[in-house]
Amino acid sequence: MAEEKVEVMEEVVEKPKRTRAKKAETTETAEKKTVAKRTTKKATETAEVKAAPAKKTTKKATKTAVKEYLGTGKRKTSVARVRLTVGTGKIEVNGKDIKEYFILESLVGVAKQALVLTELENTVDIKANIYGGGIAGQAGALRHGITKALIEFKPELRTELKKAGFVTRDSRKKERKKYGLKKARKAPQFSKR
């Protein structure tokens, strides 16, 4: 029995043990393989680039050639994102004409106030996306957005627009309702008995 145990022990000792050197060798070979893969990828990419035909100019490329001036206007809970370009005086709001979008003439007048003041009504085109709030708040947001875009377009207009009060955001919002009251401050009718 003692002899059998010795033989088993010898077998265990004879098994090769893993060393750190082998791990280092395996990582080196893995790195060589990845470097080889990278070089082959680069070679194929350069071949594809050389083989690719020259691209034609698309409509998007011609659109970006036109200089756009951006402005974001806010009023109450409305936000207007405005794009101003040199043009003929066309104003488009959410894909519609301004007079079609703002039904009331007074709201159209509010939205155009900055353009009328700077006398640029018929020289710039405006495209605006407006969301949130009602139409009165949206008209105020559009005016604020147009003002910011005009300042980006011609910085010397800032003093004139600032004096008119169009640069400052009108921060007035509806006050929240309080419990026990009908509105923010309106109380229910008092009854003595």
Side-chain angles (χ1 to χ4, degrees), residues 88-159:
T88 59
K90 184 181 175 188
I91 301 175
E92 195 177 294
V93 179
N94 291 353
K96 297 179 182 179
D97 185 58
I98 190 167
K99 290 182 180 176
E100 194 179 319
Y101 190 81
F102 294 117
I103 301 160
L104 300 173
E105 228 12 81
S106 60
L107 295 178
V108 174
V110 167
K112 286 184 173 182
Q113 278 180 327
L115 294 171
V116 173
L117 182 71
T118 57
E119 298 172 359
L120 293 171
E121 265 184 298
N122 300 322
T123 56
V124 292
D125 286 344
I126 290 169
K127 283 189 176 182
N129 288 333
I130 307 176
Y131 59 91
I135 56 169
Q138 287 184 352
L142 181 59
R143 180 182 71 185
H144 190 227
I146 290 171
T147 303
K148 284 186 167 182
L150 283 171
I151 290 169
E152 193 177 315
F153 175 57
K154 287 188 178 178
E156 61 270 11
L157 296 174
R158 183 179 170 81
T159 53

